[in-house]
Structures are given as C-alpha cells and as structure tokens.
Amino acid sequence: MPLRTALTEMLGIEHPIIQGGMQYVGYAEMASAVSNAGGLGILTALTQPSPEALRAEIHRCRTMTDKPFGVNLTILPALIPADYDSYARVVAEEKVALVELAAGSPKRYTPMWKAAGVKVLHKSATMRHALKAQEAGVDIIEIVGYEGSIAGGQPGDEVGAWVLLAKATSTLRVPVVAAGASGTGRQLAAALAMGAQGVTMATRFLCTVEAPIDMKIKECMARPEVDERQTTIVLGTLSNATRVFKNGVAEEIRRIERQGDVDFSQVMPLASGGRTKKMWQETGDTQDAMWSCSQSLGVISDIPTCKELLRRMVAEAEERLNHGAKCIINSKL
C-alpha cells in the first residue's frame, strides 16, 4: 500500500521520497527516472551552464515525465560564481513543483517562488538555519544530519540526523523531511515514526541504473568493502565542511588543510567541479576526484532501477511500521 504523508499530498507524488540535488548528475535522465518511479526527481540548476540552459533542461525533463519534479539551487557564490537571480527567476517562470534551496538564505527568493506556485524546501544542516527558514516562509524543511553528503558546514555543526530530526519534528511548525545517509525502507520508517513526512536521498540514487554516471563508479559503491567508513570530511578549515568519498584526492586536501592558514586557491585544483564532472561522465575513476557522498555507502549493495529501489523501500517501511505498531499493548484488554 502507498504511504500517504503531508509531503505526498503537497506535491502530488506516490512515495514520500525526494531525490536530492547532485552537481553534474541531476540531469533530466535522473530526475525523470525518480519521478516516473513515484518519487520527486530533482534537476540541479548549476549543472547547467546558464539560466536559459536550465530552462531548456526543464523543458527536456517534461518530455520524459508527466509527473511532478523540482530543481535544486545551491547558493555558493564564493565557490561557484553564477547569476543566481536569473536561475531563481527561471524556476519561478517554469513553475516546477518544488525548489530545493541549499546554502543560501531563502528570504530573497521565497516570495517570488511562492507567488508562482512553487513549493519551497530549504536544506538545513542546523536548527538555527531551520528556524530562520521557517521564519522566511518556506513550505518544507529538509533536515540534514552530519552523516549526509553535507556541504558548507561550519565548526560546531557536527550533529547527526538522529538528534536533529527529533528536535526538528518537535520544534518546527512546517513539514520536515529527513536527509543524511538514507537508503533503506527501515530508515524511511524511522523517519516517519519520528514525525518526518518523508526522506531525501542523493548518494543512494547515484547507485541506480538510470543515474547518468559511469558504471564503474556504481560498481565501486556497491562493493562490500566500500562501506560507511569510506567517507571523510574536507574543507572544514575553510568553513565549508563537505563529506566526500575517501580517496587519494580527499587525503591530499586534508594534508594541505593540516598545514594551517589555507586558502581555497591551494585546494582548488583538487576540489574543482570540472575534475568531478570528468570522473562522472568520462573516466569513472573514483580515485581521481573529490566527490560528495554520504555514509549511506554502508547500506548500498546493488544497482537497482529507481522504480525497484522505491518499491522495495516503501514495502520495507510498511513492514517496519506495522512491526512497530505491534509493540503497542492495549492496557484495557
């Protein structure tokens, strides 16, 4: 049976599962596959070289699915100089179902998006950011635990989803979605039981048939020895803590950071998006780029289609929720 939550009702989707934004992965192929499977697929705005290219990608996605989908807009001007105002305007003009806003404040664009009928989700790694986003009028708060594929983390933000989600669902007034290393129906059930309205996943969707990345990367992620310990945090000394795959490139960045007094120019050749894009689309060499991923590596063991993944997640979540309900004893009997 389908799981019905405030998220599925708000967005008109079958399953309470969102595909998070992924740079150089969130193309129409990925977003449409997730939406066609019953979740909410997400295009990544800055994967496109210009706002008009994003518009064209939205149009292309609409030829591949008739289901709702959204757009991720991650605002990191120090790392990615871009015409953010124009990207935001395209999202409003194209009236996608939802915008996933990360890193930046939602105040600037939320009125425009809501006037266009676009639901606004803010990706929040801390309660202080979540509360500010709520004040700004967003529709959904996505709570991201430290075990997730975080980016932009500040010192002191090292709090896992287990604590953040409990606090957010008991504090916030708007619907909450759980993010940070999700990938199984057990985790979906746990999130729903804690009061969340669904989950967002990114890393798990990398390891699906439809993900537009080299198959060698997927095969690497699904190997038993590639587990939850195979990630590390980089760029923390630059107040931009990012969880990435543990490889030689990540270790070199950490070595440079340990030297102290580091500026971004020293790690830019290692952390460049162009290098990661080449890995995703050309070489498939998981050891030759810095690439974001969460500790959900520990629960990935195969490469299913998006439809297969979501179907089994929902079935497992239903089984776990029913099992939990059996633990309740009617004292009146």
Side-chain angles (χ1 to χ4, degrees):
M1 292 178 64
L3 296 171
R4 181 175 296 178
T5 72
L7 182 70
T8 61
E9 295 296 292
M10 182 185 297
L11 299 177
I13 57 178
E14 183 179 359
H15 306 310
I17 301 171
I18 298 172
Q19 168 238 317
M22 294 177 280
Q23 185 72 337
Y24 300 124
V25 178
Y27 295 99
E29 288 81 2
M30 183 83 265
S32 63
V34 175
S35 290
N36 286 332
L40 187 83
I42 296 281
L43 298 172
T44 304
L46 297 184
T47 287
Q48 300 301 322
S50 69
E52 287 307 308
L54 172 61
R55 191 190 304 276
E57 192 71 358
I58 291 171
H59 292 176
R60 191 167 76 92
C61 196
R62 285 178 173 146
T63 70
M64 300 168 74
T65 183
D66 60 358
K67 304 293 178 61
F69 63 89
V71 171
N72 165 279
L73 182 59
T74 299
I75 300 177
L76 292 171
L79 299 180
I80 308 176
D83 185 357
Y84 291 100
D85 287 355
S86 294
Y87 278 102
R89 187 169 59 252
V90 167
V91 169
E93 291 172 353
E94 292 299 324
K95 301 182 186 297
V96 297
L98 174 141
V99 58
E100 178 192 43
L101 181 68
S105 168
K107 283 185 178 181
R108 184 179 182 91
Y109 303 122
T110 293
M112 174 179 66
W113 286 330
K114 296 191 76 167
V118 177
K119 299 299 183 184
V120 182
L121 177 153
H122 187 264
K123 186 174 183 178
S124 302
T126 69
M127 280 302 300
R128 68 180 183 278
H129 290 130
L131 289 167
K132 288 180 180 178
Q134 180 175 258
E135 291 173 10
V138 305
D139 300 288
I140 307 167
I141 301 289
E142 181 180 285
I143 288 291
V144 188
Y146 196 64
E147 60 271 61
S149 52
I150 59 162
Q154 308 292 311
D157 291 348
E158 304 89 350
V159 182
W162 194 246
V163 170
L164 277 178
L165 187 56
K167 193 168 185 178
T169 52
S170 63
T171 304
L172 299 173
R173 299 186 304 275
V174 300
V176 171
V177 172
S182 295
T184 69
R186 288 175 181 270
Q187 291 165 299
L188 172 58
L192 295 177
M194 289 178 71
Q197 301 303 313
V199 298
T200 296
M201 309 189 306
T203 302
R204 187 60 187 93
F205 279 119
L206 286 175
C207 207
T208 57
V209 170
E210 297 93 340
I213 64 174
D214 192 283
M215 179 58 74
K216 292 190 291 295
I217 303 168
K218 304 177 191 182
E219 291 170 347
C220 169
M221 295 174 68
R223 291 204 301 263
E225 64 271 24
V226 177
D227 61 16
E228 64 275 10
R229 299 167 298 175
Q230 198 59 43
T231 72
T232 189
I233 300 292
V234 298
L235 307 182
T237 60
L238 299 171
S239 295
N240 188 38
T242 304
R243 186 174 296 283
V244 300
F245 188 72
K246 188 188 292 183
N247 58 16
V249 173
E251 291 304 313
E252 178 62 12
I253 293 172
R254 287 173 62 86
R255 186 192 66 78
I256 293 170
E257 290 189 83
R258 285 194 295 270
Q259 295 176 357
D261 195 24
V262 178
D263 65 63
F264 192 74
S265 65
Q266 294 172 265
V267 299
M268 183 62 184
L270 297 165
S272 72
R275 186 168 182 162
T276 307
K277 182 180 181 181
K278 184 177 181 181
M279 179 204 70
W280 290 137
Q281 300 178 6
E282 298 177 31
T283 70
D285 186 351
T286 59
Q287 301 300 313
D288 192 43
M290 186 192 91
W291 53 287
S292 295
C293 65
S294 75
Q295 291 177 345
S296 65
L297 283 176
V299 296
I300 294 173
S301 60
D302 64 350
I303 309 170
T305 65
C306 290
K307 187 172 184 178
E308 290 168 347
L309 174 62
L310 267 59
R311 182 178 294 167
R312 79 180 183 209
M313 280 186 64
V314 169
E316 184 181 41
E318 182 180 351
E319 190 274 331
R320 289 290 90 197
L321 289 168
N322 284 330
H323 176 80
K326 292 176 183 177
C327 296
I328 301 172
I329 300 173
N330 189 340
S331 60
K332 295 180 180 180
L333 296 179

